């Protein structure tokens, strides 16, 4: 069986926690073999490490550089699987040079052939183990490619966090050309002898350029200076064109408008206006057209030069005297294959018909230091069916957000699951959302594109914090808004005994019951945040996460297939809001407020959304009333939570032989801590427990441990 989950962190959580729990409860621990595997580039390659170390000796390495290499050697000899993440973060911090080493020694997916490799390699052993393993845990991006078909065919799969496959599926099957990566690749294959001819890549490093592995390949296949000169000339021309794409942005009117990255569908959005520029006292509209034309012209030249390089290599490589079984030959051939793939992506990018099923997306960094050209296949269902569904005997897709508007059509249609025999099963929510989550939308905050919006958000978060004392997660659809709010809120909270953190690393502080803190998070915090009990009592969302109608991918889908904005937008928006709200209820004792700062103006959509939020009504309130609403809801929930937790603790107590009141006190304190319930438990006299839980006080006679509220 293969279990696929969304991220590497979730893979580890399944291996360390969830699978052992299930196996233990089924009495199967020790009888079922399980493990995880990641993509090849997550492992250290022994062969590359040996070669790297050998080449390193010719330089003058520092102590830290040497220690870094020794540490990597230790991992490939004594580590578990030779996984890069076996290096602890503290060591990575201490020896930041290791990061550089890793770039050179991580396994190359194009070169590594574990079956043919004769090295003693932990990764190779791990691949062998797959055959014998009962459960293998992988991540979604690996599932989309599944490179270990021979060792472990995709037969029975469980896909955890299945909704992410629909969202990220387009990325998994896309082909991308990135300026910096392509430049790096060309540098690797640039013939050593002609460094001096290349003003683009080596001007800074002329003196330190050493012979690359690909130079050895040129030598191995007997390429003379004339052939290498031609190749270097073609590479230089490609570089010139690549650089000119960015230079064009800097030297043209686009430079005045690029507050954000430029991003558009190369053919279908080229006539769209991205802004106005002032010319001789007149404002004129600027479209993407001239940038598209420039790129078309440059890519055309790049493609011609790529083809020229491949033709030169092809014509000259077929020499019978070449040893084609040697490692260096295989290395060179793998690089040439990469070059062919790059050419294919350029070709696909440049081909275009109204009817084809691709989006061609250009993204140019706002500082004009990088760009990306992406070919995105739009028939995701077909690809998913061909690559995954057609190979499996059974597949189970699970997630808390597969169903939208009471059905799973969006999920099933996107991934082609509707094309195969399937059964839908909805598991009713374990928790009572309507009682435990109060959902609020604010009626009088400025609109999200108003410049005061983040100041308004900051002031409102502070008001909420006066009630909750932190323990608040604030989610943002835009990192720009997150950063501005962080800045404002840092000033507001200064000296108020509430700490503020940005992004996922701050989450662990929410679990500290003795610390009051607010965490601001973006995309990565909509999922995988699991803070139980009183650790998290309020989640806010900056705005309803609607898709931008001009988003290059989705606007292409709408145009090509005649779909409405609403039909594309609603399912994704509802899933995101559900995920955000879902951060509050993670366990039986959880409760809290879910607050949306800008709820938009579409009442019909909000009504629909309420049904998708487990029937929770979205109460529209004024910012002046936010404290009352929050306070009331938390008070009501806390009474209920304490009632529930006391019943559970009492049930546990009855099956122990604890009798002394001090021991009972200790037991209750431990149980409360385990459940992240922020209360004070004392037993000043000999027959009663006193519990203070926020502004609720309880006195419980020892023999009963029964709830008696004195609120
Ligand atoms: S199997 Fe060989 S090529 Fe692959 S990672 Fe191990 S040592 Fe490197």
């Amino acid at each position: 069986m293969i279990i696929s989950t969304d991220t590497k962190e979730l893979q580890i959580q399944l291996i360390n926690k969830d699978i052992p729990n299930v196996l233990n409860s089924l009495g199967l621990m020790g009888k079922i073999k399980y493990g995880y595997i990641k993509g090849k580039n997550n492992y250290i390659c022994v062969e590359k490490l040996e070669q790297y170390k050998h080449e390193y000796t010719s330089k003058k390495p520092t102590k830290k550089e040497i220690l870094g290499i020794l540490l990597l050697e230790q991992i490939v000899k004594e580590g578990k699987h030779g996984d890069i993440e076996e290096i602890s973060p503290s060591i990575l911090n201490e020896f930041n040079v290791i990061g550089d080493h890793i770039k050179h020694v991580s396994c190359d997916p194009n070169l590594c052939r574990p079956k043919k490799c004769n090295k003693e390699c932990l990764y190779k052993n791990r691949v062998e183990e797959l055959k014998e393993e009962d459960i293998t845990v992988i991540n979604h991006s690996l599932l989309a490619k599944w490179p270990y078909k021979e060792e472990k065919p995709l037969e029975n799969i469980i896909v955890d966090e299945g909704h992410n496959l629909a969202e990220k599926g387009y990325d998994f099957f896309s082909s991308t050309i990135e300026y910096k990566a392509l430049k790096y690749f060309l540098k690797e294959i640039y013939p050593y002898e002609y460094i001096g001819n290349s003003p683009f890549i080596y001007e800074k490093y002329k003196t330190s350029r050493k012979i690359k592995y690909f130079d050895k390949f040129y030598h191995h296949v007997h390429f003379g200076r004339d052939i290498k000169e031609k190749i270097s000339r073609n590479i230089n021309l490609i570089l010139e064109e690549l650089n000119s794409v960015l230079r064009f942005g800097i030297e043209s009117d686009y430079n005045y408008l690029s507050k954000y990255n430029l991003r558009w569908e190369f053919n279908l959005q080229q006539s769209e206006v991205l802004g106005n520029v002032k010319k001789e006292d007149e404002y004129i509209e600027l479209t993407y057209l001239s940038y598209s034309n420039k790129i078309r012209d440059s890519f055309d030249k790049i493609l011609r030069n790529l083809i020229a390089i491949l033709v030169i290599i092809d014509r000259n490589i077929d020499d019978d005297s070449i040893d084609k079984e040697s490692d260096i030959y295989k290395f060179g051939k793998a690089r040439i294959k990469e070059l062919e793939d790059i050419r294919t992506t350029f070709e696909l990018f440049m081909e275009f018909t109204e009817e084809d099923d691709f989006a061609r997306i250009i993204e140019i960094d706002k500082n004009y230091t990088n760009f990306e050209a992406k070919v995105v296949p739009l028939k995701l269902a077909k690809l998913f069916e061909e690559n995954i569904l057609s190979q499996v005997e059974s597949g189970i897709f699970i997630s808390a957000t597969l169903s939208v508007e009471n059905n799973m059509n969006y999920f099933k249609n996107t991934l082609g699951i509707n094309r195969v025999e399937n059964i839908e099963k909805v598991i009713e929510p374990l928790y009572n959302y309507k009682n435990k989550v109060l959902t609020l939308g604010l009626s009088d905050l400025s609109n999200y594109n108003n410049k005061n919006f983040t100041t308004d958000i900051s002031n409102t978060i502070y008001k909420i914090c006066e009630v909750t004392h932190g323990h608040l997660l604030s989610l943002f659809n835009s990192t720009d808004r997150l950063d501005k709010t962080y800045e404002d809120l840092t000033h507001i909270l200064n000296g108020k005994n509430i700490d503020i953190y940005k992004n996922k690393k701050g989450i662990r502080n929410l679990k500290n019951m003795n610390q009051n803190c607010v965490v601001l998070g973006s995309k990565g915090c909509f999922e995988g945040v699991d803070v139980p009990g009183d650790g998290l009592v309020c989640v806010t969302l900056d705005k309803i996460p609607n898709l931008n109608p001009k988003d290059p991918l989705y606007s292409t889908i709408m145009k090509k297939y005649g779909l409405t904005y609403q039909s594309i937008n609603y399912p994704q928006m509802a899933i995101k809001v559900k995920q955000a709200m879902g951060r509050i209820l993670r366990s039986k004792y959880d409760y809290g407020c879910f607050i949306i700062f800008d709820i938009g103006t579409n009442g019909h959509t909000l009504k629909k959304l309420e049904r998708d939020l487990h029937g929770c009504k979205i109460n529209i309130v004024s910012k002046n009333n936010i404290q009352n609403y929050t306070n009331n809801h938390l008070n009501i929930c806390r009474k209920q939570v304490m009632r529930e937790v006391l019943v559970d603790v009492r049930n546990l107590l009855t099956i122990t032989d604890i009798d002394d009141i001090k021991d009972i006190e200790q037991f209750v304190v431990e149980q409360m801590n385990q459940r992240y319930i922020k209360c004070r438990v004392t037993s000043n006299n000999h027959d009663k427990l006193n519990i203070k839980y926020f502004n609720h006080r309880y006195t419980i006679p020892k023999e009963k441990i029964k709830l008696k509220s004195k609120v």
Side-chain angles (χ1 to χ4, degrees):
M1 178 193 286
I2 287 175
I3 301 179
S4 177
T5 190
D6 191 34
T7 60
K8 292 178 204 163
E9 291 81 34
L10 286 171
Q11 276 183 274
I12 303 300
Q13 186 188 308
L14 275 165
I15 289 292
N16 291 343
K17 191 176 144 204
D18 302 334
I19 294 179
N21 279 348
V22 172
L23 294 183
N24 271 326
S25 61
L26 295 175
L28 290 173
M29 201 55 173
K31 295 177 187 158
I32 299 281
K33 286 187 198 155
Y34 61 94
Y36 71 85
I37 193 155
K38 301 175 183 170
K40 285 183 182 177
N41 54 353
N42 288 280
Y43 296 89
I44 301 164
C45 171
V46 177
E47 187 165 14
K48 283 175 84 180
L49 181 59
E50 280 173 6
Q51 188 194 327
Y52 183 63
K53 189 179 145 194
H54 180 70
E55 286 178 359
Y56 225 86
T57 49
S58 58
K59 287 194 204 164
K60 276 190 190 160
T62 64
K63 223 183 206 175
K64 280 203 169 177
E65 285 173 338
I66 296 171
L67 282 172
I69 292 180
L70 290 176
L71 196 104
L72 291 175
E73 279 195 313
Q74 195 187 359
I75 284 176
V76 295
K77 281 185 191 139
E78 293 160 27
K80 208 169 167 205
H81 304 309
D83 180 349
I84 287 162
E85 281 178 39
E86 286 169 28
I87 308 168
S88 82
S90 57
I91 291 188
L92 276 177
N93 274 347
E94 177 65 27
F95 297 91
N96 46 17
V97 65
I98 292 182
D100 280 340
H101 292 333
I102 288 172
K103 276 188 214 152
H104 294 95
V105 302
S106 62
C107 173
D108 186 332
N110 290 315
L111 295 178
C112 169
R113 300 279 173 269
K115 275 206 191 109
K116 295 191 176 159
C117 180
N118 53 14
K119 296 283 172 191
E120 264 305 308
C121 166
L122 290 173
Y123 166 68
K124 190 168 81 175
N125 297 348
R126 179 69 197 108
V127 174
E128 273 301 300
E129 283 169 10
L130 291 179
K131 293 176 189 159
E132 305 297 322
E133 208 162 69
D134 300 300
I135 302 172
T136 302
V137 178
I138 64 172
N139 56 54
H140 293 344
S141 66
L142 199 57
L143 174 69
K145 300 176 196 102
W146 195 232
Y148 307 111
K149 285 191 184 88
E150 272 183 42
E151 291 79 12
K152 197 170 186 95
L154 286 175
E155 282 169 350
N156 299 300
I157 57 170
I158 295 180
V159 181
D160 177 32
E161 302 284 354
H163 64 277
N164 279 318
L165 271 182
E167 200 185 321
K168 296 182 183 169
Y170 292 106
D171 274 344
F172 294 154
F173 295 109
S174 299
S175 321
T176 304
I177 297 155
E178 195 220 4
Y179 166 80
K180 284 186 181 170
L182 179 54
K183 232 176 131 175
Y184 181 81
F185 177 82
L186 294 172
K187 186 174 164 185
E188 292 296 296
I189 65 165
Y190 195 90
Y192 175 73
E193 291 90 333
Y194 294 94
I195 301 164
N197 292 356
S198 174
F200 310 109
I201 34 180
Y202 301 123
E203 48 197 14
K204 250 167 91 188
Y205 309 106
K206 252 176 203 167
T207 49
S208 63
R209 161 72 157 97
K210 58 181 174 11
I211 292 184
K212 301 261 177 193
Y213 213 51
F214 206 79
D215 290 310
K216 293 179 188 167
F217 170 75
Y218 286 135
H219 179 73
H220 182 80
V221 293
H222 316 308
F223 277 12
R225 289 182 72 90
D226 54 332
I227 300 174
K228 285 191 263 186
E229 193 194 357
K230 282 183 196 159
I231 292 174
S232 65
R233 224 183 299 138
N234 288 120
I235 293 179
N236 286 342
L237 289 169
I238 294 172
L239 284 164
E240 166 59 25
E241 288 306 323
L242 285 172
N243 289 337
S244 76
V245 169
L246 295 175
R247 222 172 29 241
F248 179 81
I250 297 169
E251 291 168 359
S252 64
D253 292 337
Y254 292 97
N255 203 11
Y256 300 115
L257 288 175
S258 47
K259 194 173 154 206
Y260 304 105
N261 289 359
L262 300 178
R263 195 161 175 267
W264 74 102
E265 209 289 338
F266 188 57
N267 301 296
L268 297 176
Q269 289 185 312
Q270 60 181 357
S271 310
E272 282 186 15
V273 176
L274 72 151
N276 295 308
V277 278
K278 202 172 178 186
K279 281 249 165 108
E280 292 160 9
D281 289 340
E282 227 186 293
Y283 279 98
I284 54 159
E285 286 182 337
L286 190 63
T287 68
Y288 293 106
L289 185 62
S290 59
Y291 222 145
S292 273
N293 286 339
K294 162 64 195 160
I295 290 170
R296 201 168 281 119
D297 183 49
S298 286
F299 279 17
D300 199 44
K301 289 178 187 151
I302 290 171
L303 189 52
R304 268 187 271 139
N305 283 290
L306 280 173
I307 293 170
I309 295 172
L310 286 165
V311 169
I312 294 168
I313 293 174
D314 191 52
R315 277 198 193 136
N316 293 285
I317 208 168
D318 199 20
D319 179 339
D320 287 344
S321 64
I322 298 169
D323 174 4
K324 293 184 178 166
E325 287 308 310
S326 65
D327 287 348
I328 189 68
Y329 183 80
K330 287 178 194 158
F331 166 84
K333 284 297 268 185
R335 280 280 177 272
I336 293 166
K337 169 80 179 60
E338 275 182 66
L339 198 60
E340 285 168 352
D341 290 345
I342 293 168
R343 178 202 56 193
T344 308
T345 306
F346 269 109
E347 281 171 348
L348 260 178
F349 194 88
M350 298 294 281
E351 285 165 13
F352 167 69
T353 61
E354 295 276 346
E355 295 77 33
D356 71 15
D357 295 309
F358 295 98
R360 294 164 179 86
I361 297 169
I362 280 281
E363 178 156 7
I364 297 182
D365 164 70
K366 63 181 176 194
N367 300 315
Y368 299 98
T369 54
N370 201 6
F371 73 80
E372 202 179 79
K374 204 181 238 186
V375 183
V376 188
L378 302 175
K379 295 266 177 175
L380 193 54
K382 190 166 158 252
L383 284 167
F384 199 75
E385 190 188 3
E386 281 168 10
N387 287 285
I388 295 167
L389 295 177
S390 63
Q391 298 174 38
V392 300
E393 279 175 26
S394 73
I396 301 175
F397 297 82
I398 44 177
S399 160
T401 47
L402 287 189
S403 154
V404 177
E405 292 187 79
N406 244 342
N407 65 67
M408 297 185 192
N409 294 348
Y410 167 72
F411 173 73
K412 292 200 302 188
N413 296 348
T414 309
L415 294 184
I417 294 170
N418 58 337
R419 298 162 176 228
V420 296
E421 196 186 331
N422 66 82
I423 303 167
E424 279 183 26
K425 174 90 185 122
V426 176
I427 300 169
E428 289 308 318
L430 293 173
Y431 312 115
N432 188 336
Y433 279 83
K434 276 193 196 169
N435 283 353
K436 292 214 164 173
V437 181
L438 175 72
T439 305
L440 302 174
L442 288 177
S443 59
D444 48 2
L445 233 54
S446 48
N447 181 283
Y448 79 92
N449 45 26
N450 184 307
K451 66 178 180 4
N452 296 324
F453 185 56
T454 52
T455 314
D456 279 2
I457 289 184
S458 306
N459 289 327
T460 314
I461 291 178
Y462 175 57
K463 276 188 179 181
I464 302 167
C465 280
E466 286 189 316
V467 176
T468 62
H469 305 289
H471 299 287
L472 181 149
L473 171 67
S474 191
L475 296 171
F476 290 82
N477 291 287
S478 122
T479 46
D480 197 40
R481 275 198 292 276
L482 183 150
D483 289 339
K484 283 185 187 143
T485 308
Y486 179 78
E487 222 174 89
D488 287 345
L489 202 54
T490 305
H491 287 299
I492 296 174
L493 295 179
N494 189 15
K496 305 280 195 314
N497 190 27
I498 296 175
D499 300 324
I500 177 165
Y501 298 93
K502 250 202 302 191
N503 293 325
K504 234 172 176 170
K505 282 187 184 152
I507 299 291
R508 64 173 183 272
N509 299 293
L510 288 169
K511 292 184 184 172
N512 182 351
M513 291 300 119
N514 300 317
Q515 187 184 3
N516 302 329
C517 76
V518 171
V519 179
L520 310 188
S522 55
K523 234 178 175 184
C525 291
F526 278 66
E527 296 180 52
V529 173
D530 203 344
V531 183
D534 294 311
L536 181 61
V537 294
C538 183
V539 172
T540 69
L541 181 61
D542 58 344
K543 68 180 280 286
I544 295 283
N546 289 317
L547 280 176
N548 178 353
K550 291 191 171 177
D551 177 90
L553 175 61
Y554 293 104
S555 79
T556 305
I557 293 174
M558 284 186 269
K559 270 184 203 155
K560 290 214 172 201
Y561 306 121
L563 299 173
T564 61
Y565 171 74
Q566 190 61 9
S567 69
I568 302 253
N569 176 56
Y570 184 77
Q572 311 203 33
M573 180 274 277
I575 287 171
K576 284 203 187 91
V577 179
K578 270 168 101 168
Q579 283 168 350
M581 180 185 176
R583 297 310 99 211
I584 296 176
L585 283 200
R586 313 299 299 166
S587 74
K588 186 177 173 185
Y589 312 107
D590 294 355
Y591 61 95
C593 299
F594 178 51
I595 300 169
I596 306 170
F597 293 127
D598 185 345
I599 43 143
T601 51
N602 192 333
H604 173 68
T605 301
L606 288 184
K607 278 278 158 258
K608 240 165 60 165
L609 192 55
E610 285 178 350
R611 287 194 288 276
D612 276 314
L613 296 179
H614 310 284
C616 292
K617 184 174 163 27
I618 302 174
N619 301 281
I620 312 294
V621 301
S622 156
K623 60 186 173 194
N624 295 328
N625 294 330
I626 196 105
Q627 288 189 327
N628 280 345
Y629 276 94
T630 314
N631 200 17
N632 284 343
H633 179 69
L634 297 186
N635 260 329
I636 293 166
C637 286
R638 281 169 181 158
K639 268 193 202 172
Q640 196 185 335
V641 165
M642 188 46 77
R643 212 176 297 135
E644 287 170 355
V645 77
L646 282 174
V647 169
D648 291 349
V649 173
R650 187 186 58 184
N651 288 342
L652 282 176
L653 254 178
T654 53
I655 54 166
T656 70
D657 51 8
I658 296 173
D659 192 47
D660 181 77
I661 189 73
K662 276 287 162 201
D663 293 339
I664 292 176
E665 177 194 325
Q666 180 62 24
F667 182 84
V668 175
V669 168
E670 279 167 15
Q671 293 298 322
M672 294 294 179
N673 287 345
Q674 274 176 24
R675 291 165 173 78
Y676 293 85
I677 303 294
K678 193 179 179 179
C679 64
R680 215 169 97 80
V681 183
T682 52
S683 59
N684 292 338
N685 62 40
H686 291 292
D687 58 358
K688 282 176 193 156
L689 267 191
N690 296 312
I691 298 177
K692 182 173 185 306
Y693 183 48
F694 295 92
N695 54 349
H696 303 277
R697 287 172 192 279
Y698 304 88
T699 303
I700 310 166
K702 176 190 159 188
E703 65 283 3
K704 289 185 182 172
I705 311 209
K706 254 189 186 166
L707 186 67
K708 193 173 142 198
S709 174
K710 280 189 179 174
V711 182

